[in-house]
Amino acid sequence: MSETKYCINCGKAIPTNATFCPFCGATQDKVASTENQNTITSEQHNTPNQPEHVNMWTALKLGMRQTFTWSQRITRPQYWWLYLDLVLISLVLTIVLGIRAYSYPAFILSPLHVNVLQTVLLLIFSALMVWTSVMQFTASARRLHDSNRSAHYLWFYLLPLVGPILIIVFLCQRSEPAGKRFDRLASQPKPWTHKWWTWCLLVLLTLGYAALINITARDTAMDAALTTTSKSAATNSDDSYSDSDSEESSDNTDSDSDSESDSDSDSITIGDDDIDIADQKAYSTSFTDSSWAKSTFKIDKVTVYKTDGTYTSGSGNDKKDFNGVVKVHMSIHAGQDISAYPTQAKLSTNDGQQVEADMDSDDFDGDLNSGTDSDGNVYFVLSKLSSVKDITSIRLKWDASYDTDDYDDDNAYKTFDTTLNLN
């Protein structure tokens, strides 16, 4: 019985000395010059190289070394040990870095805001996840080669439900000697870590993965803000009811008609947190600005709260303690299409504190169409507040803009800057 080899293109058995395949016509590798060489080559290519003892560590080392290797083969034990390694690594990365990466956006483009620590964490998490994903993908291609199947079978992943099941079945098949036809391009002059294009591909995939996570985190934060808005509206309604009852039943009226005490409200809600209140004071204000873009910005009420104890906001480097809150109620009438961002305002107080608006402020700003009205509360947390009477004036700055094709229109961007005296 004549010896056979396998076609490097179709994988069918053909005579050892054949120079082309009688089935598909593909030209074959040159036949070894001696029978000895032919036997050695056949033995070397019947099965992919593997260590004597396949375990999690040897499989992981092989996977890292062959991250960008497509043409070789990987045995069934090597593949599934590597699969277990990557699942455990991904789980640890998600718990240690992923949960925080998805918690809130690392950067916002409009207006530009970058959290450096969150951005670094996001990029590290994305790079590691991309690396493990590429390692898993190429290992699947090599496992299919070992079962004498082309990597094009991975396209089955696009078939809903049925496709992934078929791929799993293929990945569980035994090694086939005919799979050696995929080893014809196995030699690599240098490892993937020494090739510029592999690093470029990893960087591009990392940036894309990081952008996707950032968009998801931003959408989650926006959904949380909408939930906060509804809760804040309900809280404001309860506060107003309490204020009217307090005014009707009060025996002593403050001589200053522009200020009132709201001490009968025990707590306020900021985001998902209920803040217990020890004391509070509300001030009626009459700020109105109609000088820009046919639009009107009004601030009619400022409330200063002294918390009952110390609370914490933010996390990581943004984490800080506070015992005071300033709530500013603002309404906007858009005379034309505008973008306004009072919920990203900066506030400074007469006692030297400067803070940015809390992320859990009401969601009432952003892009506003012409003729629309919007109003809500902007919250600022103060790290030190001995008494609500200590705050006698505040200064607010926020930005607004509108789109225009006139490059000479210096009025397209506006920074509002106002000082309110609380008395």
Side-chain angles (χ1 to χ4, degrees):
M1 184 176 183
S2 60
E3 296 182 0
T4 60
K5 65 179 180 179
Y6 297 95
C7 173
I8 62 174
N9 182 56
C10 65
K12 293 184 179 180
I14 60 176
T16 303
N17 60 351
T19 58
F20 64 90
C21 178
F23 300 99
C24 67
T27 302
Q28 305 300 301
D29 292 337
K30 291 183 178 179
V31 182
S33 59
T34 67
E35 187 177 350
N36 248 350
Q37 292 174 336
N38 191 34
T39 304
I40 293 173
T41 303
S42 178
E43 289 176 355
Q44 288 177 342
H45 288 82
N46 277 341
T47 58
N49 294 327
Q50 61 175 322
E52 293 182 2
H53 301 287
V54 179
N55 52 42
M56 294 179 67
W57 175 239
T58 58
L60 182 60
K61 287 194 298 182
L62 178 65
M64 290 190 294
R65 189 170 64 250
Q66 297 182 341
T67 299
F68 284 92
T69 300
W70 289 86
S71 59
Q72 296 185 12
R73 292 172 288 161
I74 186 174
T75 64
R76 184 166 52 180
Q78 288 172 324
Y79 176 81
W80 288 110
W81 277 119
L82 177 62
Y83 183 86
L84 177 60
D85 287 329
L86 297 182
V87 168
L88 294 178
I89 291 172
S90 299
L91 181 62
V92 171
L93 288 175
T94 302
I95 294 174
V96 176
L97 301 177
I99 293 177
R100 179 167 179 180
Y102 280 98
S103 61
Y104 57 92
F107 55 90
I108 301 174
L109 298 180
S110 181
L112 183 62
H113 174 75
V114 178
N115 185 316
V116 177
L117 180 63
Q118 182 74 358
T119 301
V120 172
L121 181 146
L122 175 62
L123 291 176
I124 293 175
F125 174 70
S126 300
L128 293 175
M129 291 300 292
V130 164
W131 186 26
T132 58
S133 299
V134 173
M135 201 185 306
Q136 175 64 38
F137 188 73
T138 57
S140 297
R142 298 196 302 275
R143 177 79 267 275
L144 288 174
H145 290 169
D146 188 46
S147 64
N148 194 29
R149 290 180 176 85
S150 169
H152 287 296
Y153 277 85
L154 292 175
W155 289 108
F156 283 2
Y157 273 125
L158 300 179
L159 297 177
L161 188 60
V162 178
I165 295 176
L166 289 176
I167 294 295
I168 292 175
V169 172
F170 295 153
L171 294 175
C172 292
Q173 299 298 305
R174 292 181 178 180
S175 299
E176 292 289 342
K180 70 180 182 181
R181 64 194 177 100
F182 294 103
D183 290 343
R184 62 188 183 278
L185 299 176
S187 60
Q188 294 186 359
K190 53 185 177 180
W192 70 266
T193 52
H194 295 173
K195 297 180 179 180
W196 65 269
W197 67 267
T198 57
W199 289 106
C200 290
L201 182 59
L202 283 177
V203 169
L204 291 175
L205 291 175
T206 296
L207 293 177
Y209 193 80
L212 182 62
I213 294 177
N214 195 71
I215 292 173
T216 303
R218 184 197 63 185
D219 293 342
T220 301
M222 290 179 64
D223 292 341
L226 292 174
T227 304
T228 301
T229 301
S230 60
K231 290 182 178 180
S232 298
T235 302
N236 292 338
S237 177
D238 293 341
D239 287 346
S240 300
Y241 182 76
S242 299
D243 290 344
S244 61
D245 286 348
S246 177
E247 290 175 357
E248 292 176 2
S249 61
S250 177
D251 294 333
N252 298 319
T253 304
D254 196 318
S255 58
D256 188 350
S257 60
D258 290 336
S259 66
E260 61 182 287
S261 176
D262 301 320
S263 60
D264 53 348
S265 180
D266 296 329
S267 66
I268 59 172
T269 301
I270 302 180
D272 295 329
D273 300 322
D274 291 329
I275 311 298
D276 292 333
I277 300 303
D279 193 15
Q280 60 182 290
K281 196 169 183 65
Y283 301 90
S284 296
T285 59
S286 57
F287 170 79
T288 301
D289 190 323
S290 304
S291 61
W292 177 78
K294 306 176 185 177
S295 301
T296 302
F297 293 78
K298 292 183 179 181
I299 299 176
D300 56 8
K301 187 176 181 180
V302 176
T303 307
V304 181
Y305 298 95
K306 167 68 176 175
T307 65
D308 187 7
T310 301
Y311 288 82
T312 301
S313 67
S315 60
N317 290 341
D318 297 329
K319 185 177 181 180
K320 64 178 180 180
D321 297 333
F322 68 92
N323 64 356
V325 179
V326 176
K327 181 177 73 174
V328 178
H329 182 264
M330 179 182 295
S331 60
I332 306 172
H333 172 74
Q336 66 181 64
D337 292 350
I338 63 171
S339 297
Y341 303 98
T343 60
Q344 299 175 19
K346 290 185 178 180
L347 175 141
S348 55
T349 62
N350 59 285
D351 61 353
Q353 301 185 68
Q354 178 173 308
V355 295
E356 295 183 354
D358 191 84
M359 289 185 62
D360 290 320
S361 298
D362 293 353
D363 184 17
F364 67 96
D365 59 352
D367 295 332
L368 301 175
N369 293 332
S370 176
T372 58
D373 295 290
S374 180
D375 71 285
N377 294 313
V378 185
Y379 294 94
F380 303 87
V381 296
L382 304 178
S383 58
K384 54 181 180 179
L385 182 64
S386 300
S387 171
V388 294
K389 296 180 181 179
D390 291 344
I391 307 299
T392 59
S393 67
I394 60 173
R395 180 185 178 188
L396 281 172
K397 294 179 68 176
W398 69 93
D399 296 325
S401 63
Y402 58 79
D403 293 332
T404 178
D405 295 329
D406 184 1
Y407 295 103
D408 296 327
D409 187 358
D410 297 331
N411 203 37
Y413 295 91
K414 170 76 171 179
T415 297
F416 289 87
D417 188 344
T418 182
T419 300
L420 304 176
N421 294 316
L422 308 179
N423 49 45

